[in-house]
């Protein structure tokens, strides 16, 4: 469980939040003033870190939300096999297979930077 809890009022654009159990980066954050029908509300729009789908939610600013803990790591490309590449983490020496993203042309021994959350990884 790589996530922590915080209040909606502490969120900022560019930070991460869990929306629909998916880690998302916040693209837009806006608040509405409290009125006679309730407390202040915040509208948060985000884009999935790993699937790039848009998601949003509206909640009171004092509501609790989960914030994912996403690690930014360094890796080295070991080998290429079609659309897949084998990568070794430069800290733990763990090897794993990743899909080569569009627009990236890696070669063996190249160093890459990637994001990791639980079992999901993405080259940045």
């Amino acid at each position: 469980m790589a996530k922590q809890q915080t209040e909606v009022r502490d969120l900022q654009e560019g930070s991460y939040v869990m929306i629909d159990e998916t880690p998302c980066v916040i693209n837009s954050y806006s608040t509405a003033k409290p009125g006679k029908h309730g407390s202040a509300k915040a509208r948060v729009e985000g884009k999935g870190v790993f699937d790039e789908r848009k998601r949003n939610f509206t909640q009171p600013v004092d509501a609790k939300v989960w914030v994912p803990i996403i690690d930014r790591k360094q890796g080295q490309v070991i080998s290429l096999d079609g659309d897949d590449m084998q990568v070794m983490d430069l800290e733990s020496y763990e090897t794993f297979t990743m899909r080569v993203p569009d627009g990236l042309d890696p070669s063996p021994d190249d160093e890459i930077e990637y994001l990791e959350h639980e079992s999901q990884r993405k080259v940045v």
Side-chain angles (χ1 to χ4, degrees):
M1 179 183 292
K3 57 185 177 182
Q4 60 188 16
Q5 205 169 29
T6 188
E7 289 188 352
V8 173
R9 76 179 73 207
D10 296 331
L11 299 175
Q12 297 177 349
E13 290 184 17
S15 62
Y16 298 113
V17 67
M18 296 293 283
I19 303 177
D20 299 334
E21 299 296 321
T22 304
C24 296
V25 62
I26 298 173
N27 294 333
S28 174
Y29 176 87
S30 61
T31 57
K33 294 180 181 177
K36 68 178 188 180
H37 297 293
S39 62
K41 304 275 191 299
R43 177 174 171 76
V44 178
E45 294 179 7
K47 186 170 86 173
V49 173
F50 300 103
D51 63 3
E52 306 211 354
R53 289 183 49 202
K54 290 184 178 179
R55 296 177 175 86
N56 62 57
F57 69 86
T58 303
Q59 288 190 347
V61 294
D62 58 350
K64 300 280 188 181
V65 292
W66 289 102
V67 175
I69 299 172
I70 298 177
D71 296 322
R72 184 175 292 260
K73 295 183 169 185
Q74 297 286 325
Q76 182 178 11
V77 177
I78 302 296
S79 64
L80 295 166
D81 184 25
D83 291 338
D84 295 331
M85 62 182 171
Q86 189 172 20
V87 177
M88 178 179 69
D89 186 290
L90 292 179
E91 290 183 14
S92 66
Y93 305 111
E94 172 191 8
T95 58
F96 49 87
T97 303
M98 296 179 72
R99 178 77 54 189
V100 176
D102 293 336
L104 185 69
D105 188 25
S107 59
D109 295 335
D110 280 355
E111 290 190 10
I112 60 169
E113 191 173 42
Y114 64 96
L115 301 176
E116 182 178 60
H117 175 70
E118 295 179 347
S119 62
Q120 298 175 314
R121 295 182 179 101
K122 176 185 177 187
V123 176
V124 290

